[in-house]
Coordinates of all heavy atoms in Angstrom, one line a residue:
H1 N 0.8 -1.2 0.0 CA 0.0 0.0 0.0 C 0.9 1.3 0.0 O 0.4 2.4 0.3 CB -0.9 0.0 1.2 CG -2.1 -0.9 1.2 ND1 -1.9 -2.3 1.4 CD2 -3.4 -0.7 0.8 CE1 -3.1 -2.9 1.2 NE2 -4.0 -1.9 0.9
S2 N 2.2 1.1 -0.3 CA 3.1 2.2 -0.3 C 3.3 2.8 1.1 O 3.5 4.0 1.3 CB 2.7 3.3 -1.3 OG 2.6 2.8 -2.6
G3 N 3.0 1.9 2.1 CA 3.1 2.4 3.5 C 4.3 1.7 4.2 O 5.2 1.1 3.6
N4 N 4.3 2.0 5.5 CA 5.4 1.4 6.4 C 4.8 1.1 7.7 O 3.8 1.6 8.1 CB 6.5 2.5 6.5 CG 7.7 1.9 7.3 OD1 8.1 0.8 7.0 ND2 8.3 2.7 8.2
V5 N 5.4 0.2 8.5 CA 4.9 -0.2 9.8 C 6.1 -0.2 10.8 O 7.2 -0.5 10.4 CB 4.3 -1.6 9.8 CG1 5.3 -2.7 9.3 CG2 3.7 -1.9 11.1
S6 N 5.9 0.4 11.9 CA 6.9 0.5 13.0 C 6.2 0.1 14.3 O 5.0 0.1 14.5 CB 7.4 1.9 13.1 OG 6.4 2.8 13.4
V7 N 7.1 -0.3 15.3 CA 6.6 -0.8 16.6 C 7.2 0.1 17.7 O 8.4 0.4 17.6 CB 6.9 -2.3 16.8 CG1 8.4 -2.6 16.7 CG2 6.3 -2.8 18.1
T8 N 6.4 0.5 18.6 CA 6.9 1.1 19.8 C 6.1 0.6 21.0 O 5.4 -0.4 20.9 CB 6.6 2.7 19.7 OG1 5.2 2.9 19.6 CG2 7.4 3.3 18.6
E9 N 6.3 1.2 22.1 CA 5.6 0.8 23.3 C 4.3 1.6 23.5 O 4.3 2.9 23.3 CB 6.5 1.0 24.6 CG 5.8 0.6 25.9 CD 6.7 0.7 27.1 OE1 7.9 0.7 26.9 OE2 6.1 0.9 28.2
S10 N 3.2 1.0 23.8 CA 1.9 1.7 23.9 C 1.9 2.4 25.2 O 2.8 2.2 26.1 CB 0.8 0.7 23.8 OG 0.7 -0.1 25.0
D11 N 0.9 3.3 25.4 CA 0.8 4.1 26.7 C 0.5 3.2 27.9 O 0.8 3.5 29.0 CB -0.4 5.1 26.6 CG 0.0 6.2 25.7 OD1 1.2 6.3 25.3 OD2 -0.9 7.0 25.3
D12 N 0.0 1.9 27.6 CA -0.3 1.0 28.7 C 0.8 0.0 28.9 O 0.7 -1.0 29.6 CB -1.6 0.2 28.3 CG -2.8 1.2 28.3 OD1 -2.9 2.0 29.2 OD2 -3.6 1.0 27.3
G13 N 2.0 0.2 28.2 CA 3.1 -0.7 28.4 C 3.1 -1.9 27.5 O 4.1 -2.7 27.5
G14 N 2.1 -2.0 26.6 CA 2.1 -3.1 25.6 C 2.8 -2.7 24.3 O 3.7 -1.8 24.3
A15 N 2.4 -3.4 23.3 CA 3.0 -3.1 21.9 C 2.1 -2.2 21.2 O 0.9 -2.3 21.2 CB 3.2 -4.4 21.2
R16 N 2.7 -1.3 20.4 CA 1.9 -0.4 19.5 C 2.5 -0.4 18.1 O 3.7 -0.2 18.0 CB 1.9 1.1 20.1 CG 1.3 2.0 19.1 CD 1.4 3.5 19.6 NE 1.1 4.4 18.6 CZ 0.0 5.3 18.6 NH1 -0.7 5.3 19.6 NH2 -0.2 6.1 17.6
F17 N 1.7 -0.8 17.2 CA 2.1 -0.8 15.8 C 1.5 0.4 15.0 O 0.3 0.5 15.0 CB 1.7 -2.1 15.1 CG 2.4 -3.3 15.6 CD1 1.9 -4.0 16.8 CD2 3.6 -3.8 15.1 CE1 2.6 -5.1 17.3 CE2 4.3 -4.9 15.6 CZ 3.8 -5.5 16.7
D18 N 2.4 1.2 14.4 CA 1.9 2.4 13.6 C 2.1 2.0 12.2 O 3.2 1.8 11.7 CB 2.7 3.6 14.0 CG 2.3 4.2 15.3 OD1 1.3 3.8 15.8 OD2 3.1 5.1 15.8
V19 N 1.0 2.0 11.5 CA 1.0 1.8 10.0 C 0.8 3.1 9.3 O -0.3 3.7 9.4 CB -0.1 0.8 9.6 CG1 0.0 0.5 8.1 CG2 0.0 -0.5 10.4
S20 N 1.8 3.7 8.7 CA 1.8 5.0 8.1 C 1.9 4.9 6.6 O 2.3 3.9 6.1 CB 2.9 5.9 8.7 OG 4.2 5.3 8.4
G21 N 1.5 6.0 5.9 CA 1.7 6.1 4.5 C 0.4 5.6 3.8 O 0.4 5.5 2.5
I22 N -0.6 5.2 4.5 CA -1.9 4.8 3.9 C -2.9 5.9 4.1 O -3.1 6.4 5.2 CB -2.4 3.5 4.5 CG1 -1.4 2.4 4.2 CG2 -3.7 3.1 3.9 CD1 -1.8 1.0 4.8
D23 N -3.5 6.4 3.0 CA -4.5 7.5 3.2 C -5.6 7.2 4.1 O -6.2 6.1 4.0 CB -5.1 7.9 1.8 CG -4.0 8.5 0.9 OD1 -3.0 9.0 1.4 OD2 -4.2 8.4 -0.4
V24 N -5.9 8.1 5.0 CA -6.9 7.9 6.0 C -7.9 9.1 6.0 O -7.5 10.3 5.8 CB -6.3 7.9 7.5 CG1 -7.4 8.0 8.5 CG2 -5.5 6.6 7.6

């Protein structure tokens, strides 16, 4: 989708995946 995905820590201490580059 010409996008990218990255992983960080969520505000609750779990995993957070950000999928960017896809029109929203």
Side-chain angles (χ1 to χ4, degrees):
H1 286 78
S2 300
N4 186 40
V5 60
S6 59
V7 60
T8 59
E9 181 177 334
S10 71
D11 289 349
D12 296 317
R16 172 184 168 119
F17 292 88
D18 286 345
V19 182
S20 59
I22 299 179
D23 291 338
V24 169

